C-alpha cells in the first residue's frame, strides 16, 4: 500500500521538524511556487524575444526549435514545456497584435467598428489587416501559412466577422463567400505582392477596398 493510501485511511502524518529549524524549513518552502512561476515567465519572455528576432532575420520557415532554444539561452526541455513547435511560438507573438484588431472590430468606432455599412466595414477591415501584415509579416509567415492558417483562432474570428458583414448586407448564402473574401489576406500572397512584385501597401489597399465594396454590392443573392 502506498503512503498516499495509508494517509487516506487515517495514518498519522509524518511530523514536521519543530522549533527554529521547522520555521526556516517552512519559510524555504513557501516561495517555491511563486519562484517557479517567475522563472517560467522569464523563460517565456526570453523565448518570445529571441523568436521574434529570428523570424525577422530569416525565412520564418527555416526557424527551428533548436535555433529558438539557443537564441533564447534555454534548454530544449524548457522550450517544449511552453511551445510544441515554431509555429506555436509565432502564433503567441502574433496573438497580441491580432487581439488589438479584434477589439477594434467589436468596440471601435466606425467604419472598422460597428455603425457603418457592411461594405465600408469590410473595406476598413482590409486596410487594417494590410497594416498588420506590413508591420508583422515575419510572424504571420511563421504562424499562418498554408493549411495552418485555417486552424488558427484568429482566422476563425475573421471568418465570423466577415460572415456577420455578409449577413448584415443580406447575402442569402454567405458561407461560400467568407473564405473568398479572406483569401487576399494570405501572408504568402501579401509577401509575393509586396516583396516580389514590389506593390505598395497603398496600391494593394485601394484594390482590396474596391473589391470588398463590389463583393457586397453584387452578393445579395437575388
Amino acid at each position: 500500500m502506498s503512503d498516499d493510501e495509508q494517509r487516506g485511511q487515517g495514518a498519522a502524518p509524518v511530523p514536521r521538524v519543530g522549533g527554529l529549524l521547522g520555521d526556516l524549513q517552512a519559510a524555504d518552502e513557501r516561495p517555491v511556487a511563486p519562484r517557479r512561476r517567475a522563472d517560467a515567465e522569464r523563460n517565456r519572455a526570453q523565448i518570445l524575444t529571441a523568436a521574434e528576432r529570428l523570424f525577422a532575420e530569416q525565412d520564418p520557415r527555416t526557424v527551428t526549435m533548436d535555433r529558438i532554444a539557443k537564441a533564447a539561452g534555454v534548454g530544449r526541455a524548457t522550450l517544449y514545456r511552453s511551445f510544441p513547435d515554431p509555429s506555436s511560438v509565432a502564433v503567441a507573438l502574433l496573438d497580441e497584435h491580432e487581439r488589438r484588431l479584434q477589439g477594434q472590430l467589436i468596440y471601435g468606432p466606425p467604419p472598422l467598428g460597428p455603425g457603418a455599412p457592411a461594405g465600408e466595414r469590410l473595406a476598413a477591415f482590409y486596410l487594417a489587416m494590410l497594416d498588420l501584415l506590413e508591420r508583422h509579416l515575419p510572424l504571420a509567415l511563421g504562424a499562418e501559412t498554408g493549411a495552418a492558417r485555417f486552424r488558427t483562432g484568429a482566422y476563425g474570428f475573421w471568418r465570423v466577422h466577415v460572415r456577420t458583414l455578409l449577413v448584415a448586407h443580406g447575402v442569402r448564402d454567405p458561407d461560400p463567400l467568407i473564405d473568398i473574401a479572406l483569401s487576399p489576406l494570405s501572408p504568402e500572397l501579401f509577401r509575393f505582392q509586396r516583396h516580389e512584385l514590389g506593390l505598395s501597401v497603398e496600391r494593394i489597399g485601394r484594390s482590396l477596398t474596391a473589391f470588398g465594396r463590389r463583393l457586397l454590392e453584387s452578393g445579395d443573392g437575388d
Side-chain angles (χ1 to χ4, degrees):
M1 182 179 293
S2 69
D3 291 340
D4 289 340
E5 290 171 333
Q6 290 177 352
R7 283 195 289 273
Q9 292 186 3
V14 178
R16 293 179 59 86
V17 179
L20 179 59
L21 181 58
D23 293 340
L24 292 174
Q25 180 186 38
D28 286 342
E29 290 175 353
R30 281 193 295 271
V32 168
R35 194 160 54 233
R36 286 176 181 168
R37 285 196 296 270
D39 289 344
E41 288 299 318
R42 183 171 61 253
N43 289 335
R44 179 181 173 86
Q46 289 176 210
I47 290 166
L48 293 178
T49 299
E52 186 158 25
R53 185 173 65 252
L54 288 175
F55 284 125
E57 291 175 351
Q58 61 192 72
D59 185 336
R61 293 170 296 184
T62 68
V63 175
T64 65
M65 294 295 271
D66 278 340
R67 291 184 180 181
I68 294 174
K70 290 177 182 176
V74 300
R76 284 170 55 87
T78 298
L79 176 58
Y80 277 103
R81 275 197 293 271
S82 298
F83 303 101
D85 51 43
S87 178
S88 65
V89 181
V91 168
L93 285 164
L94 190 61
D95 182 65
E96 184 60 31
H97 305 300
E98 291 178 325
R99 283 179 182 275
R100 292 194 190 103
L101 176 53
Q102 291 166 6
Q104 292 172 335
L105 293 174
I106 299 173
Y107 305 111
L112 189 57
E120 295 304 312
R121 292 198 68 194
L122 182 58
F125 171 64
Y126 279 146
L127 292 179
M129 284 296 296
L130 289 179
D131 180 65
L132 187 148
L133 287 171
E134 175 71 5
R135 289 184 291 113
H136 305 293
L137 182 60
L139 298 181
L141 289 169
E144 300 181 350
T145 54
R149 180 181 182 223
F150 305 111
R151 295 192 294 268
T152 64
Y155 189 80
F157 186 97
W158 311 142
R159 290 192 91 256
V160 171
H161 178 64
V162 171
R163 190 182 195 281
T164 300
L165 297 181
L166 294 172
V167 171
H169 188 68
V171 176
R172 295 180 182 178
D173 188 14
D175 295 316
L177 280 177
I178 298 171
D179 300 295
I180 294 173
L182 288 170
S183 60
L185 299 174
S186 159
E188 294 161 305
L189 176 60
F190 183 82
R191 178 176 60 179
F192 174 72
Q193 291 187 317
R194 284 287 288 126
H195 300 292
E196 295 191 35
L197 299 182
L199 302 179
S200 68
V201 175
E202 292 75 21
R203 189 175 175 187
I204 298 171
R206 284 195 299 270
S207 294
L208 264 186
T209 54
F211 168 76
R213 294 184 182 105
R214 285 197 300 270
L215 179 67
L216 289 184
E217 288 170 3
S218 60
D220 57 14
D222 291 338

